[in-house]
Amino acid sequence: MEAQVENAIEIASNPTADRNLKSQALEFISQLPSQPESQRICLSLFMREPRCSEVVRHTALDVLDNVVGSAGTDISTLRNLQDSLMTYARSTYSTAAEAQATVDTPNLQNKLAQTFTFLFVVLYPSEWLSFMGDILALTASSGHSTRDHAPGVVFFLRVLIQIHDEIADVLLSRTPDERKKGNELKDLIRERDAKTIAASWQEILSQWKGKDSKIIELCLATIGRWVSWVDISLVITETLRDQLLELVISSSPNANGPVPVRETALTTLTEILRKKMNPDYKLELIEFLKIREVVAHLVSSPALADLRTTSQYDTDLAESVGQLVNHSLSDVVRALESAEDQIPMMMQAVSMLKGFLPLVLRFFSDEYDEICSTVIPCLSDLLTLFRKKRASIPMLHEQSASMLAPILDAIIIKMRYDETSSWGNEDAQTDEAEFQDLRKRLHVLQQTIATVDQNLYQDKLSAVVITTFENFQRDASRVDWRDLDLAMHEMFLFGEQGLKNGGLYSKSKPTSPAAERLIGMMFRLVETDIASSLHPAVQLQYMEICVRYYHFFDANPQFISATLERFIQIVHHDHVKVRTRSWYLFHRFIKYLRQHLGDIAQTVIQALSDLLPIKAEIPDEVSDNSDMSSNEDQQSPSARFDSQLYLYEAIGSICSTRGVLVANQVVYIRTVIGPLFSDFEVHLGPAKNGDELAVMQVHHLIMALGTLARGFSDWTPASTSPTAIPPANEVSEEFSRCSEAILLALETISVSTEVIRHAARFAFSRLVGVLGSRILPQLPRWIEGLLSRTSSKDEMALFMRLLDQVVYGFKTEIYDILNTLLTPLLQRVFAGIAEPATGTDDEIQLAELKREYLSFLLVILNNSLEAVLVSEANQAGFASVITTIEHLAKDASDFPTAKLAFTVLCRMVMTWGGPDIQLGNPQPTLPGFDRFMIERFSPLCWSLPSQANFDPKDAQGKQAMGEAAGLQKAIYTKTGEQYLDFLRTSELSSMGMDAGTVEEYLSALSNSDAKTFKQYFQNLVQRSKR
């Protein structure tokens, strides 16, 4: 059997073994823990001489672990394992030096330590009380009391680490029972062995200092783990402290020791500081450990001082020391937070704060962002403390006044690109992204300072900006682009102060002192002509600032022309990042200030004419979602085209201002769309024949026409805004030509139609604003093109949403056209709803189509167009409409759709049910509708909750039931006693409802208000489902 197990393990671990044989071996091994002989066999395989292969021994220990952890393992088996493994440990790890050749590999030592740990968890409480002493005995050679036996020391430390990880590691998720067991074991260790273990650490450090750095590191790692839950007074004695500090400040060049040991010692110190304790005790611990003195020594050491500006700078050491400083200052801040009424503790903490702040700023200002980031948390804690407590604690107020200025200076300097950075290079994209992330974190610190001392913040940032601009004005060639970028970045961020009150100006005056400073910066920006800098980062910052503070140009239009010239120069930049971003910024600038630009429209069009030609490229994947705000790769053809569309919208905006004569608007439109139409003619034929590039070109041309239309008109049908007026008829006539061209493409191209439909749908939604009612005669062709037999459910839903807007906007003019197209339109929708969903995405699109269909019916009903549903042309399809709504109202798998279906039915009742009645006969406006809604609509209110998968506790289900209650209330207001009689004699009784509950139900329906009955109905449904 033993040979069989060994063979199975060898096969299972052999990567070249037959797959079927390997599978059988794994199955055999998985069954071993349940076999009676497994413990004996695996113990023998592990301890046998000559030794088995390492994988066999490792697997054998795995099986033994399962045996130990099994609830069915008896105590005698566990004791046998204890004795056998302890015998092995003594023979392997506690013999004389000549036996060291037989010591297990580190991997196997860790595995054996884990097995001992599992035995510890089970036996230490009551059976193996001498566990720690037995393992510790392995550390001393025969006849010696010192911890001088390296294999035993290493194994002892490995076991301690495994025990911590098993019972005390806070990063591991544990069950309540596991946490309870771990806490009980920790209590037992504290009571029995903690003092001995802590003393052993000091002995090991003393014995192996300067001899074996690996043992020192392992011991320090053990201390760093255990200190979080062992009594600190046992661990941190003067002896251990001095040993730690000696290791930290060691500067010996010996390659085997100091550097890695020092790093581990620093980590151990940091772990000691992380131990939870009262703030006053933590301050005493920081002073006892002499953290500030140690850090000051390391900061002045050659590794962190002399070599700081060289390639030999020890960044790992700097990062470790920075983390130590971060934890120290955070603890000091926590002490200050809790010491409001404790003056001695407050004074001690303030004194320590003064000592640590220069050290914090040293690491914060480090050239390496990773090192800077180590102390950002403690600076954030400190600034938050100043914000919260500065006003209430005079001592803290005094300290903050002297500390904020150097902190803000350091933040501003750190905001600057370093000397080795390059902007815009593809190879530096990761570094750029990391730097921008750092800037965001620094910005948070700056904003906190602004809330603490607004005047300091404004003075500092204003000085940085103004001084840099003045230097540029004196001699632009001597100003580094990094300084310009820093000044402009800070100016951009200053807007959070300057724009607090909604803008820079109120009645031609600055809205605040911060706004006044910002206005002064803007004057310097445009008068100094910062945009003349050739660096792309500066040029982009210039555009970003001008767009953000467009209020300045509104109040000072004399600067617009020169600024626009600079914008036009930048939009022609060669760098793709500048070009694509600047096109968007140009569009925003034009949109904000369009009322000032009418007299230069022609100049702008001419200046941009070379950027307007469209050249499509085949993307790797044609996406159906070309949202212009997407964060696609700026290098991709799709992203570049999306940015190019902003130019078309900008031209539309600038050409359609009130200052431009209608005749000129027509000329400008023709100037722009003429080349597009010519391109249409060239590519329409090849696109029809399936040329993929030509199809993509037509797609882009349609998108450009739609975007131009959006820029031309802010007006929407039925708009009541006094500033949004419909375009002139002459303008609408020109865009009618665009609409005809798009329809021609829809009707002509039969391949890749999804791509063309996407662009046409995009353009349709934007042409409505410039065509007005002129689009209505074309509506059947639009529907025919956009709702083809190959249209997806998602396409149908999107177009239905567009139709909602058209119906609402032209409700007084659309009846005849809607009457003609309604039946074929709904037939297409019904076909889409009837198609089975083939996946998760399809199910989502189907649900969306259902809701858009119901929303479309609501728009018709809410805009007095209900007659179109029952007209002579559409009456035959009305039954299908009702049937579909009924089906959706009973769908317990889609509560939002069911709720909307009940809303539609309720609206139908209010529309065709006639006047509200108390007594007498119903008077429906649609003959026979009173009986129809009673017999067809009312039963639906119980059909949904009667579904097997209906959950009455589901929040959306309760909302659907609320709408069902509203439907019943609406039917009652239109039919009165007739409805109550139907419920009493037919509907409720047929459901098996007893007479008392029926009368209670009818009383609630007839006497309660809508809100009360809704609550009653929801509760009744819940009771009925129990």
Side-chain angles (χ1 to χ4, degrees):
M1 181 69 173
E2 186 174 316
Q4 187 179 2
V5 172
E6 182 177 6
N7 189 42
I9 296 173
E10 294 286 5
I11 292 172
S13 62
N14 185 356
T16 62
D18 178 75
R19 181 178 298 179
N20 293 330
L21 191 61
K22 191 170 186 177
S23 177
Q24 294 174 23
L26 289 171
E27 178 65 24
F28 176 78
I29 294 169
S30 69
Q31 299 297 322
L32 280 177
S34 61
Q35 300 299 318
E37 292 294 305
S38 62
Q39 178 253 336
R40 180 190 62 78
I41 293 170
C42 290
L43 193 60
S44 174
L45 286 174
F46 176 73
M47 299 177 63
R48 193 177 70 191
E49 293 289 347
R51 292 181 175 180
C52 301
S53 67
E54 182 164 334
V55 68
V56 171
R57 301 182 73 211
H58 193 288
T59 306
L61 287 177
D62 264 333
V63 175
L64 293 176
D65 291 347
N66 287 322
V67 171
V68 173
S70 173
T73 304
D74 58 81
I75 194 68
S76 60
T77 300
L78 295 173
R79 286 173 179 164
N80 179 55
L81 274 175
Q82 170 193 336
D83 294 341
S84 299
L85 290 177
M86 232 10 259
T87 299
Y88 174 81
R90 291 189 183 102
S91 65
T92 305
Y93 296 103
S94 67
T95 54
E98 60 268 19
Q100 289 187 17
T102 64
V103 171
D104 299 314
T105 63
N107 182 52
L108 204 56
Q109 285 185 46
N110 283 331
K111 184 59 195 172
L112 180 60
Q114 187 180 48
T115 303
F116 268 95
T117 298
F118 291 148
L119 281 170
F120 164 85
V121 170
V122 177
L123 298 177
Y124 184 70
S126 58
E127 296 293 330
W128 196 355
L129 278 64
S130 62
F131 179 92
M132 293 296 179
D134 291 347
I135 304 297
L136 183 60
L138 303 176
T139 63
S141 298
S142 301
H144 294 78
S145 60
T146 57
R147 310 298 171 194
D148 61 346
H149 187 60
V153 171
V154 170
F155 185 70
F156 168 67
L157 294 173
R158 291 187 194 278
V159 171
L160 292 185
I161 289 174
Q162 289 286 352
I163 288 174
H164 165 84
D165 291 348
E166 180 65 23
I167 69 174
D169 191 341
V170 296
L171 297 179
L172 295 179
S173 177
R174 307 177 193 277
T175 65
D177 288 342
E178 289 172 339
R179 286 196 295 271
K180 180 181 178 183
K181 179 70 173 177
N183 290 334
E184 291 172 350
L185 287 169
K186 286 188 286 186
D187 288 340
L188 287 174
I189 291 173
R190 295 184 189 108
E191 179 184 335
R192 298 174 184 172
D193 296 305
K195 187 174 182 179
T196 301
I197 293 171
S200 73
W201 293 332
Q202 297 179 26
E203 295 166 359
I204 291 170
L205 291 176
S206 297
Q207 176 67 35
W208 295 99
K209 181 185 65 177
K211 298 177 182 177
D212 192 322
S213 63
K214 296 299 181 183
I215 291 180
I216 298 296
E217 286 183 68
L218 196 59
C219 185
L220 292 174
T222 307
I223 295 171
R225 282 173 164 84
W226 279 58
V227 74
S228 63
W229 53 277
V230 174
D231 186 349
I232 191 73
S233 64
L234 295 178
V235 180
I236 307 305
T237 61
E238 285 192 19
T239 301
L240 184 65
R241 177 201 63 185
D242 293 342
Q243 290 172 329
L244 274 175
L245 298 187
E246 184 179 355
L247 292 171
V248 167
I249 64 177
S250 173
S251 58
S252 168
N254 186 346
N256 292 326
V259 172
V261 167
R262 182 172 58 190
E263 298 284 341
T264 310
L266 281 169
T267 301
T268 303
L269 276 177
T270 302
E271 291 298 324
I272 293 170
L273 287 182
R274 292 177 64 179
K275 183 176 178 65
K276 294 179 180 178
M277 59 179 66
N278 291 334
D280 52 343
Y281 292 152
K282 184 58 72 73
L283 294 183
E284 291 179 12
L285 179 63
I286 293 172
E287 289 196 335
F288 178 77
L289 292 174
K290 302 180 180 180
I291 299 296
R292 193 190 65 79
E293 292 84 348
V294 169
V295 172
H297 174 85
L298 291 172
V299 165
S300 61
S301 68
L304 298 186
D306 300 345
L307 302 177
R308 183 176 178 181
T309 57
T310 71
S311 59
Q312 297 177 306
Y313 180 44
D314 194 341
T315 55
D316 291 336
L317 174 62
E319 201 167 336
S320 297
V321 179
Q323 290 168 351
L324 181 62
V325 171
N326 177 69
H327 283 289
S328 301
L329 186 62
S330 290
D331 287 330
V332 172
V333 170
R334 278 189 281 274
L336 286 168
E337 287 176 339
S338 60
E340 196 166 339
D341 300 323
Q342 304 175 49
I343 301 302
M345 181 173 157
M346 173 71 70
M347 294 179 66
Q348 181 186 14
V350 167
S351 174
M352 294 174 74
L353 177 60
K354 290 179 181 177
F356 273 109
L357 185 61
L359 299 174
V360 171
L361 294 180
R362 150 65 181 87
F363 291 99
F364 181 76
S365 61
D366 198 281
E367 176 186 357
Y368 290 89
D369 294 343
E370 297 85 353
I371 298 170
C372 165
S373 297
T374 60
V375 294
I376 288 180
C378 70
L379 271 181
S380 179
D381 292 343
L382 177 60
L383 295 175
T384 301
L385 173 71
F386 286 157
R387 178 174 59 83
K388 291 180 178 178
K389 303 284 189 178
R390 183 177 187 239
S392 60
I393 305 177
M395 190 182 302
L396 208 55
H397 186 281
E398 295 172 8
Q399 296 305 318
S400 67
S402 61
M403 292 181 179
L404 286 175
I407 293 175
L408 183 55
D409 287 339
I411 293 172
I412 293 172
I413 293 172
K414 197 61 191 174
M415 283 272 196
R416 185 181 184 272
Y417 278 97
D418 62 47
E419 298 298 330
T420 61
S421 60
S422 57
W423 188 94
N425 290 348
E426 289 186 30
D427 296 340
Q429 285 183 359
T430 301
D431 292 340
E432 173 70 15
E434 291 174 351
F435 178 64
Q436 293 305 325
D437 181 65
L438 176 64
R439 272 188 165 180
K440 291 176 183 177
R441 299 172 67 191
L442 297 174
H443 172 53
V444 173
L445 298 180
Q446 273 195 177
Q447 288 304 107
T448 308
I449 292 176
T451 60
V452 177
D453 192 337
Q454 184 172 298
N455 291 332
L456 172 68
Y457 175 84
Q458 293 179 10
D459 288 343
K460 287 283 186 183
L461 264 66
S462 298
V464 169
V465 174
I466 297 301
T467 301
T468 304
F469 287 177
E470 287 176 349
N471 291 340
F472 184 84
Q473 191 171 28
R474 279 195 298 270
D475 188 353
S477 63
R478 302 187 64 179
V479 178
D480 194 308
W481 71 267
R482 298 172 182 82
D483 295 320
L484 274 179
D485 172 82
L486 171 65
M488 297 177 77
H489 181 68
E490 293 290 14
M491 183 177 172
F492 184 86
L493 298 180
F494 197 88
E496 296 187 15
Q497 294 285 313
L499 299 177
K500 267 185 178 179
N501 298 322
L504 292 176
Y505 294 93
S506 176
K507 297 180 180 179
S508 302
K509 293 184 178 180
T511 56
S512 66
E516 187 173 4
R517 287 176 182 258
L518 192 50
I519 291 168
M521 295 181 204
M522 285 300 298
F523 273 111
R524 292 295 183 96
L525 178 76
V526 294
E527 291 171 348
T528 308
D529 195 17
I530 296 295
S532 62
S533 169
L534 298 180
H535 197 277
V538 176
Q539 293 179 331
L540 265 189
Q541 283 277 25
Y542 172 82
M543 294 186 75
E544 298 275 6
I545 289 171
C546 290
V547 170
R548 184 172 197 187
Y549 306 133
Y550 70 90
H551 311 85
F552 171 81
F553 296 97
D554 241 341
N556 301 279
Q558 68 273 19
F559 294 113
I560 292 178
S561 180
T563 302
L564 201 55
E565 282 186 37
R566 287 299 185 189
F567 270 46
I568 289 173
Q569 292 173 7
I570 298 172
V571 298
H572 285 84
H573 203 282
D574 292 336
H575 197 291
V576 63
K577 182 177 179 180
V578 177
R579 189 164 62 247
T580 52
R581 179 63 181 171
S582 67
W583 290 349
Y584 167 75
L585 294 171
F586 179 82
H587 152 256
R588 300 306 300 171
F589 191 73
I590 294 294
K591 192 173 183 66
Y592 289 140
L593 302 171
R594 60 189 297 187
Q595 69 272 21
H596 299 292
L597 304 176
D599 56 339
I600 58 173
Q602 185 175 6
T603 305
V604 172
I605 294 175
Q606 291 174 348
L608 297 179
S609 60
D610 60 320
L611 299 177
L612 296 180
I614 292 172
K615 185 177 180 181
E617 298 179 51
I618 302 297
D620 294 334
E621 291 184 7
V622 179
S623 172
D624 192 38
N625 178 20
S626 296
D627 181 5
M628 287 192 290
S629 65
S630 65
N631 294 320
E632 294 179 38
D633 178 11
Q634 293 169 341
Q635 305 286 344
S636 71
S638 177
R640 289 198 298 273
F641 173 66
D642 287 346
S643 297
Q644 188 179 20
L645 289 178
Y646 286 119
L647 297 179
Y648 280 92
E649 187 170 350
I651 288 174
S653 295
I654 200 172
C655 294
S656 58
T657 58
R658 296 180 183 179
V660 179
L661 297 174
V662 172
N664 289 339
Q665 291 185 24
V666 171
V667 171
Y668 300 153
I669 295 172
R670 291 175 178 173
T671 302
V672 177
I673 68 175
L676 299 180
F677 282 175
S678 299
D679 216 358
F680 248 113
E681 294 175 2
V682 171
H683 290 92
L684 199 56
K688 179 181 178 181
N689 295 326
D691 186 305
E692 188 177 359
L693 184 59
V695 170
M696 189 56 62
Q697 183 73 12
V698 172
H699 166 276
H700 284 16
L701 295 170
I702 294 173
M703 297 279 286
L705 292 174
T707 306
L708 179 68
R710 176 165 62 182
F712 234 92
S713 179
D714 294 328
W715 176 80
T716 55
S719 173
T720 58
S721 172
T723 59
I725 59 175
N729 288 333
E730 295 88 339
V731 171
S732 295
E733 186 62 36
E734 291 301 317
F735 280 105
S736 289
R737 296 169 56 211
C738 298
S739 182
E740 284 291 340
I742 296 169
L743 286 170
L744 178 62
L746 270 176
E747 294 163 351
T748 301
I749 301 175
S750 58
V751 293
S752 301
T753 50
E754 186 176 351
V755 174
I756 301 301
R757 286 198 304 268
H758 163 259
R761 190 168 57 247
F762 172 92
F764 174 81
S765 65
R766 287 143 181 86
L767 285 169
V768 171
V770 289
L771 293 182
S773 60
R774 290 172 179 266
I775 204 168
L776 296 181
Q778 299 175 338
L779 206 52
R781 295 172 65 193
W782 281 105
I783 292 174
E784 182 67 27
L786 293 176
L787 291 184
S788 73
R789 296 185 183 278
T790 59
S791 294
S792 67
K793 298 178 182 65
D794 189 42
E795 288 184 83
M796 291 184 185
L798 289 170
F799 187 64
M800 293 292 288
R801 197 175 304 155
L802 294 177
L803 280 183
D804 290 349
Q805 300 171 19
V806 174
V807 172
Y808 173 74
F810 301 108
K811 52 192 169 188
T812 60
E813 307 163 81
I814 200 173
Y815 180 87
D816 290 338
I817 293 175
L818 188 60
N819 190 45
T820 302
L821 60 82
L822 184 64
T823 295
L825 169 65
L826 293 182
Q827 286 174 347
R828 303 239 178 132
V829 174
F830 292 158
I833 292 176
E835 290 178 4
T838 56
T840 302
D841 290 343
D842 207 27
E843 288 176 359
I844 293 172
Q845 292 178 10
L846 177 59
E848 187 67 22
L849 177 59
K850 292 174 181 178
R851 287 192 281 272
E852 289 302 331
Y853 159 66
L854 294 171
S855 297
F856 178 66
L857 295 178
L858 269 181
V859 169
I860 291 175
L861 294 168
N862 288 336
N863 288 282
S864 303
L865 293 167
E866 65 276 3
V868 77
L869 293 171
V870 292
S871 69
E872 185 177 350
N874 301 304
Q875 195 170 26
F878 185 64
S880 297
V881 171
I882 296 298
T883 302
T884 308
I885 299 172
E886 289 175 331
H887 172 73
L888 298 178
K890 294 186 290 187
D891 188 357
S893 65
D894 187 358
F895 286 133
T897 300
K899 175 188 173 185
L900 192 55
F902 280 118
T903 303
V904 174
L905 293 173
C906 189
R907 187 61 197 167
M908 285 183 172
V909 169
M910 302 306 292
T911 300
W912 289 313
D916 295 353
I917 64 169
Q918 296 295 329
L919 299 171
N921 296 321
Q923 303 170 30
T925 58
L926 200 63
F929 194 72
D930 53 335
R931 295 303 304 174
F932 186 82
M933 58 187 177
I934 289 174
E935 295 173 2
R936 293 285 295 271
F937 293 178
S938 179
L940 294 172
C941 300
W942 287 101
S943 293
L944 178 62
S946 66
Q947 301 294 318
N949 59 339
F950 179 83
D951 181 5
K953 296 181 180 180
D954 187 284
Q956 292 182 326
K958 291 182 67 175
Q959 292 177 355
M961 285 295 90
E963 289 298 317
L967 174 60
Q968 296 175 78
K969 196 70 178 174
I971 295 173
Y972 172 72
T973 61
K974 301 300 180 183
T975 60
E977 287 296 328
Q978 183 178 333
Y979 184 38
L980 297 181
D981 289 342
F982 174 79
L983 291 173
R984 182 183 293 110
T985 61
S986 179
E987 184 174 326
L988 298 181
S989 59
S990 67
M991 292 167 48
M993 191 178 291
D994 63 82
T997 305
V998 169
E999 292 305 320
E1000 174 190 295
Y1001 187 89
L1002 298 179
S1003 175
L1005 176 60
S1006 57
N1007 298 322
S1008 304
D1009 59 29
K1011 183 177 181 181
T1012 304
F1013 179 70
K1014 172 182 174 181
Q1015 186 65 46
Y1016 169 82
F1017 183 66
Q1018 290 172 333
N1019 292 337
L1020 182 62
V1021 169
Q1022 283 194 343
R1023 291 200 305 270
S1024 69
K1025 294 293 287 186
R1026 288 174 184 169

